[in-house]
Amino acid sequence: LDLDYRASAGLGRDWRTAVAGHMGGRDLQDYVDAGRWLGETRGVAPERVAIYGGSYGGFLTLMALFTEPEQFGAGAALRSVTDWAHYNDPYTRNILGDPAEAPDAYVRSSPITFADGLADPLLMIHGLVDDNVQPQDIFRLSQRLIELGKTDWELAIHPVEAHGYTEPTSWTDAYRRILDLFEQTVGQR
């Protein structure tokens, strides 16, 4: 399924602003609801549902696996924000508010806060020269997963890629890794 989750454009102001103060809340629930719909209408068990996305979609993938692990069987997060306090201030401030005045919004919206919830296989992919979501973000999350003793995750780095991948070989490598993950997890049960 390819969802127009809350906060995506083109569906009106209320839809677009549904994440104000909490990214990874109502928008993530749209994915959870879609997974439940698959179960109710198609008989697809949650452990057969994988989620993946890039940038904000990568962020949602992390939030899904960290906060709703019973709803998914695996995930792949590409170039994802892991801590909104470390991201583009004007963009984030517009949604979560001033970090000094609304620190709780940043905490509840940042995947790194919930890393201990990881219970399913996770692939993270990031460009080493990402000029939007800094690589340090994914490195900090990787260190947190190590500290928590999590083992069912992998980080793949593409050394020449910025946020918008351009090299066909990098795209091929990324999607081969995603396909392998999904075939070995949700595709084999």
Side-chain angles (χ1 to χ4, degrees):
L1 300 174
D2 186 5
L3 302 182
D4 285 327
Y5 53 85
R6 302 311 151 100
S8 55
L11 298 172
R13 182 183 184 284
D14 290 345
W15 189 265
R16 190 180 64 253
T17 60
V19 300
H22 186 196
M23 292 187 281
R26 186 56 243 169
D27 45 357
L28 175 57
Q29 286 309 304
D30 291 333
Y31 280 94
V32 171
D33 292 346
R36 288 185 179 138
W37 177 85
L38 282 172
E40 292 166 6
T41 64
R42 303 288 191 263
V44 178
E47 62 271 8
R48 296 286 313 269
V49 176
I51 183 170
Y52 92 99
S55 198
Y56 197 89
F59 151 74
L60 283 175
T61 297
L62 294 175
M63 288 297 276
L65 293 187
F66 294 173
T67 66
E68 297 280 353
E70 66 282 353
Q71 301 297 325
F72 302 94
L78 294 76
R79 33 191 213 287
S80 50
V81 173
T82 68
D83 186 342
W84 289 106
H86 292 226
Y87 187 65
N88 179 308
D89 184 66
Y91 172 86
T92 309
R93 182 181 295 253
N94 186 45
I95 300 169
L96 297 180
D98 183 317
E101 296 173 13
D104 291 347
Y106 286 76
V107 171
R108 78 174 154 259
S109 298
S110 294
I112 198 165
T113 304
F114 306 100
D116 61 335
L118 181 63
D120 299 303
L122 169 63
L123 169 64
M124 300 179 295
I125 299 174
H126 212 97
L128 189 57
V129 291
D130 193 323
D131 51 353
N132 184 3
V133 179
Q134 301 297 313
Q136 292 87 338
D137 223 29
I138 204 70
F139 298 154
R140 287 180 60 241
L141 177 59
S142 296
Q143 181 60 37
R144 183 71 183 125
L145 293 171
I146 291 167
E147 291 166 358
L148 291 167
K150 301 295 181 176
T151 58
D152 207 1
W153 63 276
E154 177 183 357
L155 173 61
I157 295 294
H158 291 115
V160 300
E161 295 297 351
H163 195 66
Y165 276 35
T166 58
E167 294 294 322
T169 53
S170 297
W171 280 113
T172 300
D173 180 72
Y175 281 96
R176 178 195 51 79
R177 290 173 186 273
I178 294 168
L179 179 61
D180 287 350
L181 172 69
F182 291 171
E183 284 182 339
Q184 294 168 14
T185 57
V186 299
Q188 297 297 317
R189 295 182 185 171

